[in-house]
Amino acid sequence: MMSSIKTKKVKDGSLVWHVRYTYQGCERTRSIGRVRREDAKREQNRVDQCLLEGKDPDQTSPLRLAKQKPDPVEQPQIVTLQDALAMYDKYVSVNGRNKPSTLKSKRRCFGTVPNRLLSKPLIEIGKFDLENWLIEYGQTRDTGTVSMANAYMTTVFNWCIDFDMLTKSPMKSIKKSPVEQQAIKTLTETQAVELLKIAEGNFYRAVFIALNFGLRSGEIIRLTWDDVVEEDGSIRVAARGNKTRTGRAVPAPSPEVMDKILSWKSSDSLPTDQVVPYSTTYYISRRF
């Protein structure tokens, strides 16, 4: 072998393959992307073949060619949304711009675009076409998933602008999620009492804290007695491991609730500092 390949871990924890070789006395290292090992080996073989033929591997790299703007002559005269999605998919796949899981998520999302929109010329697609698709997409999905679909499609249209297929993106004036968010439903007092009866036992404390303080399951299982502040009747939520990465103090709705929680400390027989002393937090977080 005239070249070598290696991996490097990046910030998001994924592995990026690199190929190293020497051409005309200069040592080079080039990123192959987030690809499978067999794909990296295939690129290494291509580099070795170029070196044997005296060619510059970088000039004939499929990654370099993919970064070049498509030749206008080779593009269809009328580019439809389906054509644009196919070209975008090929571009991000070859360049390793997305993790495999992200690429799979995008393909699943774009697979829901109706045929009437896919066959429409790119320059004729307007705000209302895309809004209608997002509204249909959100019929069976939450607002967060719809917002992600919005971001995916926005990326595609911005890419089309970069490659001179469009001059303006119709996604620019669309709200993050055109689907109306449903009102949050809360439990009645009777329902809360019934839930506590059902949770009697291992899950009672977790459910009691969730009902009275509105904490997430992960925040509940990480609570220690140092986080329970008796003086001001509140529970402190640490920033570490928190979804929002910010700490906060959540006051108890009544003194009786705080007294109830403090009574658990004196009744605990296990030598633990956890407010919810269960054997495995993984079990609790999944079941809860």
Side-chain angles (χ1 to χ4, degrees), residues 1-274:
M1 287 290 182
M2 304 173 68
S3 62
S4 61
I5 54 174
K6 64 177 183 178
T7 57
K8 181 180 179 181
K9 185 174 286 189
V10 293
K11 289 183 179 180
D12 62 4
S14 60
L15 296 177
V16 176
W17 284 91
H18 292 75
V19 60
R20 177 182 293 176
Y21 60 92
T22 301
Y23 178 72
Q24 293 183 348
C26 297
E27 188 174 289
R28 298 179 182 177
T29 301
R30 181 167 49 77
S31 171
I32 303 175
R34 298 181 180 89
V35 297
R36 297 175 300 177
R37 182 180 180 84
E38 49 265 36
D39 294 328
K41 291 289 291 183
R42 193 177 299 113
E43 174 63 10
Q44 183 185 16
N45 293 335
R46 189 198 65 79
V47 169
D48 289 339
Q49 185 63 34
C50 288
L51 293 174
L52 287 172
E53 296 173 0
K55 298 178 181 178
D56 184 355
D58 192 43
Q59 295 299 323
T60 57
S61 167
L63 299 179
R64 185 183 184 91
L65 295 175
K67 291 178 182 178
Q68 298 175 359
K69 293 187 177 182
D71 188 348
V73 178
E74 296 180 0
Q75 289 185 28
Q77 289 186 349
I78 300 177
V79 180
T80 64
L81 179 58
Q82 188 169 17
D83 296 329
L85 289 175
M87 287 188 283
Y88 172 78
D89 184 271
K90 183 178 180 181
Y91 175 80
V92 295
S93 299
V94 173
N95 281 283
R97 293 294 182 92
N98 295 136
K99 294 189 293 185
S101 58
T102 304
L103 195 57
K104 186 177 180 181
S105 175
K106 286 184 176 181
R107 287 170 178 167
R108 189 164 52 242
C109 172
F110 297 149
T112 65
V113 179
N115 289 329
R116 67 176 185 276
L117 192 54
L118 289 173
S119 58
K120 200 167 185 177
L122 203 60
I123 58 175
E124 294 181 11
I125 295 176
K127 169 186 174 181
F128 296 107
D129 295 318
L130 296 165
E131 267 190 344
N132 289 335
W133 164 63
L134 286 171
I135 290 171
E136 290 176 10
Y137 185 78
Q139 294 300 316
T140 56
R141 298 169 178 87
D142 58 37
T143 53
T145 306
V146 177
S147 296
M148 186 175 293
N150 185 314
Y152 286 164
M153 192 60 79
T154 299
T155 303
V156 171
F157 276 93
N158 289 341
W159 178 84
C160 290
I161 292 174
D162 291 340
F163 282 82
D164 300 327
M165 299 181 202
L166 283 175
T167 57
K168 184 179 179 182
S169 171
M171 295 294 298
K172 194 171 183 179
S173 56
I174 296 179
K175 293 189 298 183
K176 192 173 183 180
S177 175
V179 181
E180 292 186 8
Q181 195 164 8
Q182 296 180 351
I184 299 174
K185 296 181 180 179
T186 57
L187 296 178
T188 64
E189 188 174 345
T190 304
Q191 290 172 330
V193 171
E194 289 299 319
L195 180 59
L196 284 171
K197 287 181 181 178
I198 297 172
E200 193 68 45
N202 284 343
F203 294 109
Y204 181 84
R205 293 189 184 186
V207 173
F208 184 86
I209 294 173
L211 287 172
N212 288 285
F213 292 87
L215 302 189
R216 302 179 180 92
S217 60
E219 295 169 343
I220 293 172
I221 60 179
R222 283 192 293 270
L223 284 177
T224 64
W225 287 114
D226 290 337
D227 298 323
V228 180
V229 185
E230 184 178 0
E231 290 75 16
D232 58 3
S234 66
I235 287 180
R236 292 180 306 191
V237 179
R240 185 178 181 182
N242 192 354
K243 181 179 179 180
T244 59
R245 301 292 188 271
T246 55
R248 66 187 190 280
V250 184
S254 67
E256 291 76 15
V257 170
M258 184 56 67
D259 292 340
K260 177 74 172 177
I261 293 176
L262 292 172
S263 68
W264 299 340
K265 186 175 183 180
S266 57
S267 64
D268 279 347
S269 57
L270 297 174
T272 177
D273 194 38
Q274 285 182 287

Side-chain angles (χ1 to χ4, degrees), residues 203 217-218 221-222 274 276 278-288:
F203 294 109
S217 60
I221 60 179
R222 283 192 293 270
Q274 285 182 287
V276 183
Y278 299 118
S279 56
T280 62
T281 56
Y282 175 84
Y283 173 79
I284 291 300
S285 64
R286 294 300 179 191
R287 289 292 303 276
F288 180 67

